[in-house]
Amino acid sequence: MKTYLSEYIGTTFLLMIVVGSGIMGQSLSDNASLTLLANTISTGAGLIVLIWMFGNISGAHFNPAVSIVMFANGELNPTTFIFYSLFQILGAISGTLIANYMFGLDLFQLSANSRSGINLYISEVIATFGLLLVILRVRTFRSELVAPAVGLYITSAYWFTSSTSFANPAVTIGRMFTDTFTGIEPSNVIFFIIAQFFGAFLAFRINKLLEKT
């Protein structure tokens, strides 16, 4: 259970960081660029710390796209993969609801923030592909560098992708429960998730090719 608890707590905190920093940034500034910058810095820094905290317990996936690649690599069995994904999704929803509550907003809400369009879905393919390739390649060099590598990648991907790099099905599900800066309209969620898993599959295949060379 400690591995599942690790994934739950880590994903809960990840969403509190993502959603909470978005709400704080939006409440302090009317400038969307400054809000995104605050959101970016908080998320990148928080990810590094969370991966360091839980990496030696569960691997600190906090992301079903990461877990499915580790399952494909033979590092997780089917049962563990299913429970990892379940606890990641539950953690994402919990973190979003807690962030809403901390900032005095309605606990339960659905986002009206539309994020639709093929360009955004392609953006999610690229964002997730990059994230998984960072994890898979960096850990072959030095595993302790995965945490800062992931944090730095997400920090940059917030700005070079039009979708602001969700790159995580659990995060995407969680963020539909906040009608704030980081929210996503429920009707867009399935398309983001399909794009994310496709990006993860591409990273898995490309990494296998790189391992052969």
Side-chain angles (χ1 to χ4, degrees):
M1 278 303 296
K2 71 178 182 179
T3 57
Y4 304 142
L5 183 60
S6 170
E7 288 297 300
Y8 174 77
I9 295 173
T11 314
T12 298
F13 266 91
L14 175 58
L15 268 293
M16 285 193 286
I17 291 165
V18 171
V19 176
S21 64
I23 297 171
M24 178 65 84
Q26 200 169 36
S27 68
L28 295 177
S29 174
D30 293 327
N31 188 314
S33 296
L34 289 177
T35 301
L36 181 60
L37 181 61
N39 194 211
T40 302
I41 294 170
S42 294
T43 302
L47 265 172
I48 294 171
V49 174
L50 290 172
I51 294 170
W52 276 336
M53 285 172 64
F54 297 110
N56 66 340
I57 301 174
S58 66
H61 298 182
F62 316 138
N63 184 340
V66 173
S67 296
I68 200 168
V69 168
M70 298 309 166
F71 167 68
N73 267 338
E75 299 175 39
L76 294 180
N77 63 46
T79 301
T80 303
F81 164 66
I82 291 169
F83 277 102
Y84 263 45
S85 299
L86 175 62
F87 279 94
Q88 289 157 359
I89 292 168
L90 291 175
I93 295 171
S94 298
T96 301
L97 298 183
I98 293 169
N100 288 339
Y101 183 79
M102 285 195 295
F103 285 90
L105 305 176
D106 290 339
L107 184 66
F108 296 99
Q109 50 185 283
L110 289 176
S111 177
N113 190 357
S114 177
R115 299 179 188 266
S116 63
I118 190 65
N119 62 311
L120 294 181
Y121 308 145
I122 294 298
S123 175
E124 279 301 293
V125 172
I126 293 169
T128 313
F129 170 79
L131 173 62
L132 267 296
L133 206 57
V134 164
I135 294 169
L136 292 169
R137 299 312 307 157
V138 172
R139 70 178 188 158
T140 65
F141 172 56
R142 288 180 62 181
S143 60
E144 66 270 22
L145 294 181
V146 170
V150 168
L152 290 170
Y153 173 79
I154 291 297
T155 298
S156 65
Y158 258 61
W159 290 87
F160 79 75
T161 63
S162 59
S163 62
T164 66
S165 187
F166 283 44
N168 184 330
V171 164
T172 305
I173 292 169
R175 285 169 65 167
M176 73 178 178
F177 293 105
T178 183
D179 192 21
T180 60
F181 181 77
T182 58
I184 177 172
E185 192 176 87
S187 62
N188 304 145
V189 167
I190 186 62
F191 300 106
F192 266 54
I193 291 174
I194 291 169
Q196 290 156 1
F197 278 122
F198 184 65
F201 170 76
L202 286 178
F204 171 74
R205 296 304 305 165
I206 292 296
N207 184 62
K208 288 298 183 185
L209 291 175
L210 292 174
E211 287 179 339
K212 292 177 181 178
T213 59

